[in-house]
Amino acid sequence: YEATKSSFARQLQQLQSDYVDLLLVQWPHVWRQEQKEWGPMQWRRVNQWQAGQLQGTWAAMEEICKSGKAKAIGVSNCTIQHMEALLKYCTVRPAVLQGESHPHWPNRSLRDWCRKHDIAFQGYAPFGGQETPENSGHRPVDDAFLKKVAECNGLSNFQVCMQWNQSRNSSTVVQSQDKKHLRENLTACNVNLCSATDFKGIDENAKEHSQYGPCYWGHNDKDNLNIWKDEEKLLEAVLPEPRGHHWSPKAKTPEEMRKEGWEPLVPPEALPPAKREGNR
């Protein structure tokens, strides 16, 4: 709550503006320095901590919106579960949900949920993320089926990706430092349009890629946002030691007992003022 308000004030100053058109929560999980001390048990008990942080953040954003300093507020990278919890306590509904959306990760269930609840779904990473040595040749924009659709319609692979996104989402976020690419992205829907059959084929082709999940939690996870990335270390920490014939319980250090026993508490300053007493 407090961090959101101070962060927004700093951003307004940097933008040299009195208001913003849209203010988003970039991630449903707030990252703080003390999480470096967490063990696996803390991550397994993180739900209350995470929900309290998001509730405090949203309360601050509602105040900012009501003051007129943000014309609209919304969220990014939230699941349906996050959104349903948010709608139970919010007084200002999110206007926008921004989520990853491209031909390998259509995010259809989330898009349909947004449409049902009158929330604009804004897709990002329409081409499958920035090209890196790890993902080169494997992004949606490099897909063989999509390339075939592009050739049949006299379009580039990027134009087909943009058309697919614009046909599926309320809006699409795209960025480029190349003027030629920017122009191509902006005019993608002003040229030969792909057919509904083409788009249906792209949707069907996406099914074989769904097992890999969103690209920013996979080969493009440059910020290591996926906390379960190193599964071997996680299993080593969570599973008990093998019990042989002469096994006896191993004495645990105070540090180990602390890591196993405590549950993360939401910092008071993260909560809305009305909720702080109940968290102590």
Side-chain angles (χ1 to χ4, degrees), residues 1-2 30 32 34 38 49-50 52-53 56 264-272 275-276 279-280:
Y1 176 82
E2 299 293 349
V30 178
R32 293 174 63 99
E34 60 261 33
W38 289 11
W49 190 91
Q50 177 177 293
Q53 293 274 4
L265 289 178
V266 186
E269 70 275 11
L271 290 167
K275 295 283 183 179
R276 292 179 186 178
N279 187 55
R280 292 173 183 167

PDB file of all heavy atoms in Angstrom, residues 1-2 30 32 34 38 49-50 52-53 56 264-272 275-276 279-280:
ATOM      1  N   TYR A   1       0.839  -1.206   0.000  1.00  0.00           N
ATOM      2  CA  TYR A   1       0.000   0.000   0.000  1.00  0.00           C
ATOM      3  C   TYR A   1       0.875   1.258   0.000  1.00  0.00           C
ATOM      4  O   TYR A   1       0.808   2.070  -0.914  1.00  0.00           O
ATOM      5  CB  TYR A   1      -0.914  -0.018   1.230  1.00  0.00           C
ATOM      6  CG  TYR A   1      -1.754   1.231   1.393  1.00  0.00           C
ATOM      7  CD1 TYR A   1      -2.946   1.382   0.691  1.00  0.00           C
ATOM      8  CD2 TYR A   1      -1.351   2.243   2.262  1.00  0.00           C
ATOM      9  CE1 TYR A   1      -3.713   2.532   0.854  1.00  0.00           C
ATOM     10  CE2 TYR A   1      -2.119   3.387   2.432  1.00  0.00           C
ATOM     11  CZ  TYR A   1      -3.304   3.524   1.718  1.00  0.00           C
ATOM     12  OH  TYR A   1      -4.065   4.660   1.873  1.00  0.00           O
ATOM     13  N   GLU A   2       1.727   1.385   1.005  1.00  0.00           N
ATOM     14  CA  GLU A   2       2.574   2.570   1.097  1.00  0.00           C
ATOM     15  C   GLU A   2       3.585   2.620  -0.051  1.00  0.00           C
ATOM     16  O   GLU A   2       3.834   3.684  -0.630  1.00  0.00           O
ATOM     17  CB  GLU A   2       3.314   2.592   2.442  1.00  0.00           C
ATOM     18  CG  GLU A   2       2.403   2.639   3.662  1.00  0.00           C
ATOM     19  CD  GLU A   2       1.625   3.952   3.776  1.00  0.00           C
ATOM     20  OE1 GLU A   2       1.950   4.897   3.028  1.00  0.00           O
ATOM     21  OE2 GLU A   2       0.696   4.020   4.614  1.00  0.00           O
ATOM     22  N   VAL A  30       4.127  -9.728  -5.108  1.00  0.00           N
ATOM     23  CA  VAL A  30       5.070  -8.663  -4.771  1.00  0.00           C
ATOM     24  C   VAL A  30       6.385  -9.295  -4.305  1.00  0.00           C
ATOM     25  O   VAL A  30       6.381 -10.214  -3.491  1.00  0.00           O
ATOM     26  CB  VAL A  30       4.500  -7.760  -3.653  1.00  0.00           C
ATOM     27  CG1 VAL A  30       5.508  -6.679  -3.274  1.00  0.00           C
ATOM     28  CG2 VAL A  30       3.199  -7.126  -4.119  1.00  0.00           C
ATOM     29  N   ARG A  32       9.914  -8.954  -2.368  1.00  0.00           N
ATOM     30  CA  ARG A  32      10.570  -8.150  -1.340  1.00  0.00           C
ATOM     31  C   ARG A  32      11.881  -8.817  -0.918  1.00  0.00           C
ATOM     32  O   ARG A  32      12.066 -10.027  -1.098  1.00  0.00           O
ATOM     33  CB  ARG A  32       9.650  -7.990  -0.119  1.00  0.00           C
ATOM     34  CG  ARG A  32       8.396  -7.162  -0.400  1.00  0.00           C
ATOM     35  CD  ARG A  32       7.462  -7.177   0.793  1.00  0.00           C
ATOM     36  NE  ARG A  32       8.072  -6.558   1.963  1.00  0.00           N
ATOM     37  CZ  ARG A  32       7.835  -5.303   2.344  1.00  0.00           C
ATOM     38  NH1 ARG A  32       7.003  -4.534   1.654  1.00  0.00           N
ATOM     39  NH2 ARG A  32       8.414  -4.803   3.418  1.00  0.00           N
ATOM     40  N   GLU A  34      13.109  -9.692   1.907  1.00  0.00           N
ATOM     41  CA  GLU A  34      13.111 -10.762   2.919  1.00  0.00           C
ATOM     42  C   GLU A  34      12.793 -12.144   2.349  1.00  0.00           C
ATOM     43  O   GLU A  34      13.002 -13.167   3.003  1.00  0.00           O
ATOM     44  CB  GLU A  34      12.112 -10.456   4.043  1.00  0.00           C
ATOM     45  CG  GLU A  34      10.674 -10.323   3.596  1.00  0.00           C
ATOM     46  CD  GLU A  34      10.240  -8.879   3.425  1.00  0.00           C
ATOM     47  OE1 GLU A  34      11.103  -8.067   3.042  1.00  0.00           O
ATOM     48  OE2 GLU A  34       9.070  -8.579   3.671  1.00  0.00           O
ATOM     49  N   TRP A  38      13.421 -17.146   2.687  1.00  0.00           N
ATOM     50  CA  TRP A  38      12.365 -18.158   2.702  1.00  0.00           C
ATOM     51  C   TRP A  38      12.896 -19.527   2.304  1.00  0.00           C
ATOM     52  O   TRP A  38      13.760 -19.653   1.436  1.00  0.00           O
ATOM     53  CB  TRP A  38      11.254 -17.768   1.737  1.00  0.00           C
ATOM     54  CG  TRP A  38      10.428 -16.607   2.194  1.00  0.00           C
ATOM     55  CD1 TRP A  38      10.683 -15.777   3.225  1.00  0.00           C
ATOM     56  CD2 TRP A  38       9.205 -16.162   1.602  1.00  0.00           C
ATOM     57  NE1 TRP A  38       9.700 -14.831   3.338  1.00  0.00           N
ATOM     58  CE2 TRP A  38       8.780 -15.040   2.352  1.00  0.00           C
ATOM     59  CE3 TRP A  38       8.427 -16.588   0.532  1.00  0.00           C
ATOM     60  CZ2 TRP A  38       7.615 -14.350   2.056  1.00  0.00           C
ATOM     61  CZ3 TRP A  38       7.282 -15.896   0.237  1.00  0.00           C
ATOM     62  CH2 TRP A  38       6.874 -14.794   0.987  1.00  0.00           C
ATOM     63  N   TRP A  49       0.080 -14.262   2.327  1.00  0.00           N
ATOM     64  CA  TRP A  49       1.046 -13.174   2.154  1.00  0.00           C
ATOM     65  C   TRP A  49       0.807 -12.469   0.817  1.00  0.00           C
ATOM     66  O   TRP A  49       0.743 -11.248   0.738  1.00  0.00           O
ATOM     67  CB  TRP A  49       2.452 -13.761   2.215  1.00  0.00           C
ATOM     68  CG  TRP A  49       3.574 -12.769   2.301  1.00  0.00           C
ATOM     69  CD1 TRP A  49       4.138 -12.268   3.434  1.00  0.00           C
ATOM     70  CD2 TRP A  49       4.282 -12.185   1.218  1.00  0.00           C
ATOM     71  NE1 TRP A  49       5.162 -11.408   3.123  1.00  0.00           N
ATOM     72  CE2 TRP A  49       5.269 -11.334   1.761  1.00  0.00           C
ATOM     73  CE3 TRP A  49       4.181 -12.284  -0.170  1.00  0.00           C
ATOM     74  CZ2 TRP A  49       6.152 -10.604   0.976  1.00  0.00           C
ATOM     75  CZ3 TRP A  49       5.051 -11.552  -0.962  1.00  0.00           C
ATOM     76  CH2 TRP A  49       6.019 -10.723  -0.386  1.00  0.00           C
ATOM     77  N   GLN A  50       0.672 -13.280  -0.235  1.00  0.00           N
ATOM     78  CA  GLN A  50       0.488 -12.732  -1.577  1.00  0.00           C
ATOM     79  C   GLN A  50      -0.832 -11.987  -1.694  1.00  0.00           C
ATOM     80  O   GLN A  50      -0.888 -10.887  -2.254  1.00  0.00           O
ATOM     81  CB  GLN A  50       0.529 -13.879  -2.598  1.00  0.00           C
ATOM     82  CG  GLN A  50       0.288 -13.451  -4.034  1.00  0.00           C
ATOM     83  CD  GLN A  50       0.426 -14.627  -4.975  1.00  0.00           C
ATOM     84  OE1 GLN A  50       1.510 -15.165  -5.154  1.00  0.00           O
ATOM     85  NE2 GLN A  50      -0.668 -15.046  -5.574  1.00  0.00           N
ATOM     86  N   GLY A  52      -2.593 -10.558   0.668  1.00  0.00           N
ATOM     87  CA  GLY A  52      -2.554  -9.321   1.448  1.00  0.00           C
ATOM     88  C   GLY A  52      -1.787  -8.224   0.737  1.00  0.00           C
ATOM     89  O   GLY A  52      -2.198  -7.055   0.728  1.00  0.00           O
ATOM     90  N   GLN A  53      -0.669  -8.601   0.110  1.00  0.00           N
ATOM     91  CA  GLN A  53       0.125  -7.628  -0.641  1.00  0.00           C
ATOM     92  C   GLN A  53      -0.679  -7.044  -1.799  1.00  0.00           C
ATOM     93  O   GLN A  53      -0.695  -5.832  -2.020  1.00  0.00           O
ATOM     94  CB  GLN A  53       1.393  -8.299  -1.193  1.00  0.00           C
ATOM     95  CG  GLN A  53       2.391  -8.737  -0.150  1.00  0.00           C
ATOM     96  CD  GLN A  53       3.342  -7.621   0.237  1.00  0.00           C
ATOM     97  OE1 GLN A  53       3.223  -6.498  -0.219  1.00  0.00           O
ATOM     98  NE2 GLN A  53       4.294  -7.932   1.101  1.00  0.00           N
ATOM     99  N   GLY A  56      -3.416  -4.641  -0.623  1.00  0.00           N
ATOM    100  CA  GLY A  56      -2.875  -3.342  -0.263  1.00  0.00           C
ATOM    101  C   GLY A  56      -2.511  -2.523  -1.487  1.00  0.00           C
ATOM    102  O   GLY A  56      -2.783  -1.312  -1.555  1.00  0.00           O
ATOM    103  N   PRO A 264       4.949 -16.692   6.397  1.00  0.00           N
ATOM    104  CA  PRO A 264       5.180 -15.292   6.053  1.00  0.00           C
ATOM    105  C   PRO A 264       3.998 -14.411   6.476  1.00  0.00           C
ATOM    106  O   PRO A 264       2.840 -14.737   6.200  1.00  0.00           O
ATOM    107  CB  PRO A 264       5.310 -15.316   4.527  1.00  0.00           C
ATOM    108  CG  PRO A 264       5.601 -16.729   4.173  1.00  0.00           C
ATOM    109  CD  PRO A 264       4.942 -17.565   5.217  1.00  0.00           C
ATOM    110  N   LEU A 265       4.296 -13.323   7.174  1.00  0.00           N
ATOM    111  CA  LEU A 265       3.267 -12.356   7.549  1.00  0.00           C
ATOM    112  C   LEU A 265       3.359 -11.139   6.642  1.00  0.00           C
ATOM    113  O   LEU A 265       4.449 -10.707   6.273  1.00  0.00           O
ATOM    114  CB  LEU A 265       3.447 -11.925   9.006  1.00  0.00           C
ATOM    115  CG  LEU A 265       3.122 -12.970  10.074  1.00  0.00           C
ATOM    116  CD1 LEU A 265       3.395 -12.401  11.459  1.00  0.00           C
ATOM    117  CD2 LEU A 265       1.664 -13.401   9.964  1.00  0.00           C
ATOM    118  N   VAL A 266       2.225 -10.611   6.299  1.00  0.00           N
ATOM    119  CA  VAL A 266       2.190  -9.433   5.439  1.00  0.00           C
ATOM    120  C   VAL A 266       2.697  -8.231   6.228  1.00  0.00           C
ATOM    121  O   VAL A 266       2.200  -7.946   7.319  1.00  0.00           O
ATOM    122  CB  VAL A 266       0.750  -9.155   4.949  1.00  0.00           C
ATOM    123  CG1 VAL A 266       0.747  -8.023   3.926  1.00  0.00           C
ATOM    124  CG2 VAL A 266       0.134 -10.413   4.369  1.00  0.00           C
ATOM    125  N   PRO A 267       3.689  -7.508   5.719  1.00  0.00           N
ATOM    126  CA  PRO A 267       4.156  -6.302   6.427  1.00  0.00           C
ATOM    127  C   PRO A 267       3.011  -5.310   6.589  1.00  0.00           C
ATOM    128  O   PRO A 267       2.243  -5.101   5.646  1.00  0.00           O
ATOM    129  CB  PRO A 267       5.237  -5.748   5.487  1.00  0.00           C
ATOM    130  CG  PRO A 267       5.652  -6.901   4.643  1.00  0.00           C
ATOM    131  CD  PRO A 267       4.438  -7.762   4.488  1.00  0.00           C
ATOM    132  N   PRO A 268       2.829  -4.715   7.762  1.00  0.00           N
ATOM    133  CA  PRO A 268       1.695  -3.809   7.986  1.00  0.00           C
ATOM    134  C   PRO A 268       1.582  -2.693   6.947  1.00  0.00           C
ATOM    135  O   PRO A 268       0.483  -2.357   6.511  1.00  0.00           O
ATOM    136  CB  PRO A 268       1.975  -3.241   9.382  1.00  0.00           C
ATOM    137  CG  PRO A 268       2.802  -4.281  10.048  1.00  0.00           C
ATOM    138  CD  PRO A 268       3.636  -4.891   8.969  1.00  0.00           C
ATOM    139  N   GLU A 269       2.738  -2.164   6.540  1.00  0.00           N
ATOM    140  CA  GLU A 269       2.684  -1.050   5.583  1.00  0.00           C
ATOM    141  C   GLU A 269       2.215  -1.471   4.195  1.00  0.00           C
ATOM    142  O   GLU A 269       1.878  -0.639   3.356  1.00  0.00           O
ATOM    143  CB  GLU A 269       4.065  -0.379   5.476  1.00  0.00           C
ATOM    144  CG  GLU A 269       5.144  -1.206   4.794  1.00  0.00           C
ATOM    145  CD  GLU A 269       5.860  -2.167   5.739  1.00  0.00           C
ATOM    146  OE1 GLU A 269       5.381  -2.335   6.883  1.00  0.00           O
ATOM    147  OE2 GLU A 269       6.886  -2.737   5.335  1.00  0.00           O
ATOM    148  N   ALA A 270       2.161  -2.795   3.953  1.00  0.00           N
ATOM    149  CA  ALA A 270       1.698  -3.281   2.656  1.00  0.00           C
ATOM    150  C   ALA A 270       0.175  -3.341   2.579  1.00  0.00           C
ATOM    151  O   ALA A 270      -0.404  -3.373   1.499  1.00  0.00           O
ATOM    152  CB  ALA A 270       2.274  -4.667   2.369  1.00  0.00           C
ATOM    153  N   LEU A 271      -0.478  -3.382   3.724  1.00  0.00           N
ATOM    154  CA  LEU A 271      -1.935  -3.512   3.773  1.00  0.00           C
ATOM    155  C   LEU A 271      -2.621  -2.149   3.763  1.00  0.00           C
ATOM    156  O   LEU A 271      -2.039  -1.151   4.176  1.00  0.00           O
ATOM    157  CB  LEU A 271      -2.344  -4.258   5.040  1.00  0.00           C
ATOM    158  CG  LEU A 271      -2.003  -5.750   5.101  1.00  0.00           C
ATOM    159  CD1 LEU A 271      -2.189  -6.258   6.513  1.00  0.00           C
ATOM    160  CD2 LEU A 271      -2.861  -6.536   4.124  1.00  0.00           C
ATOM    161  N   PRO A 272      -3.894  -2.123   3.340  1.00  0.00           N
ATOM    162  CA  PRO A 272      -4.677  -0.892   3.491  1.00  0.00           C
ATOM    163  C   PRO A 272      -4.816  -0.573   4.976  1.00  0.00           C
ATOM    164  O   PRO A 272      -4.838  -1.486   5.804  1.00  0.00           O
ATOM    165  CB  PRO A 272      -6.035  -1.258   2.881  1.00  0.00           C
ATOM    166  CG  PRO A 272      -5.819  -2.498   2.102  1.00  0.00           C
ATOM    167  CD  PRO A 272      -4.653  -3.201   2.711  1.00  0.00           C
ATOM    168  N   LYS A 275      -7.072  -2.680   7.248  1.00  0.00           N
ATOM    169  CA  LYS A 275      -6.784  -4.104   7.411  1.00  0.00           C
ATOM    170  C   LYS A 275      -5.585  -4.379   8.319  1.00  0.00           C
ATOM    171  O   LYS A 275      -5.305  -5.515   8.655  1.00  0.00           O
ATOM    172  CB  LYS A 275      -6.516  -4.728   6.036  1.00  0.00           C
ATOM    173  CG  LYS A 275      -7.698  -4.738   5.075  1.00  0.00           C
ATOM    174  CD  LYS A 275      -8.675  -5.831   5.423  1.00  0.00           C
ATOM    175  CE  LYS A 275      -9.818  -5.911   4.426  1.00  0.00           C
ATOM    176  NZ  LYS A 275     -10.755  -7.004   4.756  1.00  0.00           N
ATOM    177  N   ARG A 276      -4.880  -3.361   8.717  1.00  0.00           N
ATOM    178  CA  ARG A 276      -3.605  -3.584   9.408  1.00  0.00           C
ATOM    179  C   ARG A 276      -3.766  -4.212  10.782  1.00  0.00           C
ATOM    180  O   ARG A 276      -2.994  -5.064  11.182  1.00  0.00           O
ATOM    181  CB  ARG A 276      -2.844  -2.268   9.523  1.00  0.00           C
ATOM    182  CG  ARG A 276      -2.367  -1.778   8.165  1.00  0.00           C
ATOM    183  CD  ARG A 276      -1.630  -0.471   8.239  1.00  0.00           C
ATOM    184  NE  ARG A 276      -1.339   0.004   6.899  1.00  0.00           N
ATOM    185  CZ  ARG A 276      -0.723   1.147   6.642  1.00  0.00           C
ATOM    186  NH1 ARG A 276      -0.357   1.934   7.645  1.00  0.00           N
ATOM    187  NH2 ARG A 276      -0.487   1.505   5.403  1.00  0.00           N
ATOM    188  N   ASN A 279      -4.018  -8.067  10.914  1.00  0.00           N
ATOM    189  CA  ASN A 279      -2.859  -8.860  10.489  1.00  0.00           C
ATOM    190  C   ASN A 279      -1.852  -9.050  11.595  1.00  0.00           C
ATOM    191  O   ASN A 279      -0.934  -9.819  11.462  1.00  0.00           O
ATOM    192  CB  ASN A 279      -2.205  -8.141   9.282  1.00  0.00           C
ATOM    193  CG  ASN A 279      -1.096  -8.963   8.667  1.00  0.00           C
ATOM    194  OD1 ASN A 279      -1.302 -10.111   8.287  1.00  0.00           O
ATOM    195  ND2 ASN A 279       0.093  -8.394   8.588  1.00  0.00           N
ATOM    196  N   ARG A 280      -1.974  -8.327  12.718  1.00  0.00           N
ATOM    197  CA  ARG A 280      -0.972  -8.400  13.794  1.00  0.00           C
ATOM    198  C   ARG A 280      -1.240  -9.563  14.734  1.00  0.00           C
ATOM    199  O   ARG A 280      -2.349 -10.000  14.857  1.00  0.00           O
ATOM    200  CB  ARG A 280      -0.995  -7.087  14.586  1.00  0.00           C
ATOM    201  CG  ARG A 280      -0.462  -5.924  13.726  1.00  0.00           C
ATOM    202  CD  ARG A 280      -0.631  -4.599  14.422  1.00  0.00           C
ATOM    203  NE  ARG A 280      -0.183  -3.504  13.582  1.00  0.00           N
ATOM    204  CZ  ARG A 280      -0.445  -2.236  13.822  1.00  0.00           C
ATOM    205  NH1 ARG A 280      -1.152  -1.883  14.870  1.00  0.00           N
ATOM    206  NH2 ARG A 280      -0.001  -1.290  13.014  1.00  0.00           N
TER     207      ARG A 280
END
